[in-house]
């Protein structure tokens, strides 16, 4: 089968299409014939050598953390031919024609979505949900500030927070203001023209998808007892203590129950999925360059099969 792998760390040019053996179902895992796989920031972090779990001893490795496709070999509640979408462990590798995945990361594909759209959901949606609710403890009536609201994770976060009954304040570029507002943000701040810390105060939760100075400035927006949750870097514990808030970084973990819930929300029309651009599997180099250089508003997806 074809798989896109890295044999060394570096720029997009280190991605190469290899002929590798088709995996065989084992240890209770499902074998999925991949129709599409999304491209996420974690993929280029791994490629660059900036992901702490991956070292040179793990190379060569196939990238890709979420896929949509058809069950080839069954396990658990699934049968061959079932259409599924899946959140993969970092070592499984979805940039391939077939992939193995543990059942705890697999759910039935939302019927409203095609395979390309479905592949755009698992990692981004799980990251948003777990950040807001599992780690951020967001509740109805609270105020949440979401940074990077027009991106893949951010767009899901805005919608999930709205559905939960929170007041959503978001930062994005000016050209994305109306789209982010349409997803459920009550207030959208242009991060280029406005200082968000001058515009908003006393929020219960900051969901940080940007890091660096954006994260540091965010402490000024929180009420005492609030929470700052980040996907990108560990918050400064000294600043958190001074602000009287809790702050942490987390990484999303596969959760089939949450994937099943996302499918219900999507199929009921409560959650929309945005795909920015689609590439073929053998265009992974171009896809990575697009993701890094163009900062797309929405998900980037590789089409693998039917």
């Amino acid at each position: 089968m074809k798989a896109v792998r890295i044999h060394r760390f570096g720029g997009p040019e280190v991605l190469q299409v290899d002929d590798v053996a088709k995996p065989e179902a084992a240890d209770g895992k499902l074998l999925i014939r991949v129709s599409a796989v999304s491209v996420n920031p974690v993929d280029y972090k791994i490629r660059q050598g900036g992901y702490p779990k991956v070292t040179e001893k793990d190379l060569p490795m196939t990238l890709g953390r979420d896929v949509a496709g058809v069950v080839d070999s069954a396990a658990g509640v699934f049968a061959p031919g079932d259409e599924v979408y899946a959140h993969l462990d970092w070592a499984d590798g979805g940039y391939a024609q077939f992939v193995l995945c543990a059942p705890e990361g697999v759910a039935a594909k939302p019927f409203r979505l095609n395979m390309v759209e479905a592949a755009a959901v698992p990692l981004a949606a799980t990251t948003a949900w777990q950040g807001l609710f599992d780690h951020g403890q967001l509740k109805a009536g609270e105020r949440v500030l979401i940074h990077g609201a027009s991106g893949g994770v951010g767009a899901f976060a805005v919608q999930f927070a709205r559905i939960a009954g929170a007041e959503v304040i978001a930062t994005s570029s000016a050209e994305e203001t109306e789209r982010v507002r349409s997803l459920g943000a009550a207030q959208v701040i242009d991060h280029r023209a406005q200082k968000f810390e001058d515009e908003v105060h006393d929020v219960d939760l900051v969901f940080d998808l940007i890091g660096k100075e954006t994260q540091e400035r965010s402490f000024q927006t929180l009420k005492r007892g609030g929470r700052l949750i980040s996907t990108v870097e560990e918050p400064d514990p000294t600043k958190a203590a001074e602000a009287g808030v809790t702050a942490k970084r987390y990484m999303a973990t596969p959760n089939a129950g949450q994937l099943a819930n996302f499918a219900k929300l999507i199929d009921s029309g409560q959650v929309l999925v945005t795909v920015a651009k689609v590439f073929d599997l053998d265009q992974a180099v171009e896809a990575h360059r697009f993701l890094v250089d163009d900062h797309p508003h929405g998900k980037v997806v590789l089409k693998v099969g039917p």
Side-chain angles (χ1 to χ4, degrees):
M1 71 170 188
K2 302 291 184 184
V4 175
R5 303 196 297 176
I6 56 171
H7 294 255
R8 58 187 174 88
F9 296 126
E13 69 279 356
V14 303
L15 294 162
Q16 66 180 62
V17 180
D18 292 337
D19 285 307
V20 301
K22 176 182 173 182
E24 296 183 6
D27 300 323
K29 290 187 173 183
L30 290 82
L31 181 63
I32 299 171
R33 185 171 74 249
V34 178
S35 296
V37 54
S38 77
V39 181
N40 294 287
V42 68
D43 299 342
Y44 66 70
K45 291 176 183 176
I46 292 174
R47 169 181 49 78
Q48 294 168 340
Y51 189 71
K53 288 187 176 182
V54 181
T55 65
E56 288 187 350
K57 68 179 177 60
D58 299 304
L59 305 182
M61 74 172 296
T62 307
L63 300 181
R65 296 293 303 277
D66 46 359
V67 302
V70 177
V71 174
D72 190 77
S73 293
V77 300
F78 298 101
D82 286 347
E83 294 187 339
V84 296
Y85 68 160
H87 178 182
L88 310 176
D89 185 71
W90 65 267
D92 289 331
Y95 291 14
Q97 292 176 306
F98 292 87
V99 67
L100 287 173
C101 184
E104 55 261 33
V106 185
K109 178 185 79 65
F111 66 79
R112 286 176 68 118
L113 302 184
N114 60 36
M115 288 294 187
V116 166
E117 293 165 335
V121 176
L123 180 59
T126 300
T127 301
W129 186 275
Q130 292 179 2
L132 291 174
F133 305 115
D134 294 350
H135 299 283
Q137 301 296 306
L138 183 65
K139 300 176 181 63
E142 291 191 321
R143 304 173 76 225
V144 56
L145 172 61
I146 299 172
H147 291 306
S150 63
V153 175
F156 282 117
V158 170
Q159 295 178 87
F160 292 156
R162 178 207 76 218
I163 292 167
E167 179 185 343
V168 182
I169 305 155
T171 63
S172 75
S173 59
E175 57 267 27
E176 287 296 308
T177 295
E178 289 309 312
R179 184 173 76 89
V180 174
R181 197 181 298 278
S182 73
L183 295 175
Q187 180 180 357
V188 183
I189 300 168
D190 177 1
H191 67 86
R192 295 192 187 100
Q194 300 167 283
K195 290 185 176 181
F196 63 82
E197 66 270 32
D198 293 339
E199 302 293 328
V200 58
H201 301 94
D202 296 321
V203 300
D204 298 280
L205 173 65
V206 171
F207 187 40
D208 168 39
L209 304 171
I210 305 296
K212 297 185 170 50
E213 68 159 347
T214 296
Q215 183 185 99
E216 291 183 7
R217 291 158 51 203
S218 292
F219 285 108
Q220 301 175 48
T221 70
L222 283 159
K223 63 171 59 172
R224 296 193 72 81
R227 294 90 67 196
L228 188 155
I229 304 297
S230 178
T231 64
V232 287
E233 59 185 80
E234 196 68 43
D236 186 328
T238 301
K239 286 187 172 63
E242 291 173 350
V245 303
T246 57
K248 64 186 287 190
R249 181 195 182 192
Y250 75 102
M251 287 189 284
T253 56
N255 187 306
Q258 290 176 356
L259 289 178
N261 182 48
F262 305 153
K264 291 178 182 177
L265 293 173
I266 291 166
D267 287 337
S268 67
Q270 296 183 75
V271 170
L272 304 177
V273 179
T274 302
V275 175
K277 194 165 183 177
V278 181
F279 296 83
D280 290 332
L281 181 64
D282 60 6
Q283 294 177 305
V285 170
E286 291 88 340
H288 272 234
R289 286 181 176 142
F290 176 73
L291 181 62
V292 174
D293 296 340
D294 288 63
H295 305 289
H297 303 302
K299 293 299 299 293
V300 178
V301 179
L302 301 176
K303 193 172 189 318
V304 182

